[in-house]
Amino acid sequence: MPPERFDTSRPFITLGLVVLVWLLVPTVAKRWSKISFYELQAPVEVSASYLRELQDYWSWRTRSKTDIYNAYQDLAGVAAQYAHAAEQNATLRREVGKLEDLLRLPTFANYRTEAARVVTRDMNTWWQRLTIRKGANHGLTVGAPVIFSGGVVGRVAEVHANTAIIDMISSNRLRLAASFDGDDRPVSFQGGLNPPLSRPEATVEFVPLDLYATPSDSKALVTSGLGGVFPRGLRLGTVTQLEPSPDGLFKSGRVRLDPRLNELTEVAVLIPVEPL
């Protein structure tokens, strides 16, 4: 009896039928299935994050008392520095309030900060994203700005029940209005194509011709406050070189971002006290 011959076209026919069925499925059902799958997958990633913290805890339990005492001494010094910085910050806030009252300037929108632990990171060349351990149950909304001690981290792109996904400022998906520190004229900021394990960079465009930046005289780039998403004055990065654009009307350049963006473990989400 001759062996049965395998039909090589059968897998392609099956694949075509699956694709056809998926295209015929309503968009609402597709979105529901995507959200359901993510909500089913998210607890696994969050649990892994908690397990890593538990592992760090037990690794510290194996340290000697001398190591723990030295770490405590270092932590006490850092706490003292932060206490002094908090006092200075309170003094500066009072001075700013007095000046705003004297000059009748509008105050910035009040935000509350929601600290969140980083669960996973996707440092793809085309987009760079973080998943954090806070979501809609903690008041997070799509578009909320995310910051850390070095300035802007990015913007919330997706919100789920207990997790959220952040588009980082190093991603070319994120574009926002910026300005140079000390200059109110708006410029365009956009993330770039950043290979993994490299220092993150971005681009700045539509810079006025009378602005200059060199490695020895770099310029700080901050958020302009336009658009109503990011408060004014949050640090984005440093511009070390500006060159005329092809049309000769503006300048453009590269923005060096904080290298700590590649190793963040915790961020803060800014949530308006009153909806904008």
Side-chain angles (χ1 to χ4, degrees):
M1 182 176 180
E4 184 179 354
R5 301 182 63 182
F6 179 74
D7 187 0
T8 57
S9 62
R10 187 178 302 173
F12 297 100
I13 295 176
T14 304
L15 178 61
L17 291 175
V18 172
V19 173
L20 180 61
V21 171
W22 178 253
L23 292 176
L24 295 177
V25 172
T27 304
V28 175
K30 293 179 184 178
R31 181 171 180 82
W32 180 85
S33 62
K34 178 182 177 182
I35 294 175
S36 300
F37 176 77
Y38 185 88
E39 294 293 351
L40 181 65
Q41 182 187 16
V44 178
E45 297 177 344
V46 172
S47 299
S49 175
Y50 280 111
L51 287 175
R52 287 194 296 268
E53 293 182 359
L54 183 62
Q55 182 181 8
D56 293 339
Y57 168 77
W58 283 108
S59 66
W60 273 102
R61 288 293 299 267
T62 60
R63 299 289 185 90
S64 65
K65 293 182 178 180
T66 302
D67 293 339
I68 297 177
Y69 177 77
N70 292 334
Y72 170 77
Q73 291 292 99
D74 295 338
L75 185 61
V78 173
Q81 293 177 359
Y82 275 113
H84 179 64
E87 293 178 359
Q88 289 182 323
N89 184 44
T91 302
L92 291 175
R93 284 180 178 273
R94 288 193 294 268
E95 293 296 329
V96 169
K98 292 179 181 179
L99 291 175
E100 288 176 344
D101 293 338
L102 180 62
L103 300 176
R104 296 180 180 178
L105 296 175
T107 59
F108 296 124
N110 292 324
Y111 292 83
R112 70 175 180 89
T113 58
E114 186 71 40
R117 179 74 64 172
V118 175
V119 177
T120 59
R121 63 184 73 241
D122 181 7
M123 308 307 284
N124 191 288
T125 301
W126 292 98
W127 61 79
Q128 301 197 348
R129 287 184 153 189
L130 297 177
T131 302
I132 58 175
R133 214 162 60 190
K134 293 287 181 70
N137 292 340
H138 304 86
L140 272 63
T141 58
V142 174
V146 185
I147 62 173
F148 77 120
S149 60
V152 178
V153 174
R155 181 172 54 201
V156 176
E158 299 178 19
V159 176
H160 303 277
N162 294 298
T163 58
I165 298 177
I166 300 169
D167 279 337
M168 302 179 66
I169 59 172
S170 54
S171 170
N172 63 350
R173 297 164 58 97
L174 192 145
R175 180 189 290 270
L176 54 90
S179 61
F180 286 86
D181 193 13
D183 192 298
D184 293 333
R185 290 172 292 182
V187 296
S188 177
F189 171 92
Q190 184 177 14
L193 298 178
N194 292 286
L197 303 180
S198 64
R199 174 162 183 163
E201 290 187 345
T203 58
V204 59
E205 298 176 322
F206 305 112
V207 180
L209 295 175
D210 60 341
L211 291 178
Y212 299 89
T214 62
S216 59
D217 185 20
S218 59
K219 296 290 189 298
L221 196 67
V222 298
T223 54
S224 65
L226 299 177
V229 176
F230 290 90
R232 182 180 177 182
L234 296 177
R235 185 177 179 85
L236 292 169
T238 304
V239 180
T240 58
Q241 186 176 3
L242 289 172
E243 297 179 353
S245 55
D247 56 15
L249 299 177
F250 298 97
K251 289 183 178 180
S252 60
R254 303 290 295 179
V255 184
R256 300 187 66 184
L257 305 178
D258 196 309
R260 292 175 293 177
L261 288 171
N262 288 336
E263 52 189 30
L264 289 174
T265 58
E266 191 162 347
V267 298
V269 183
L270 297 182
I271 303 176
V273 176
E274 297 180 0
L276 297 176

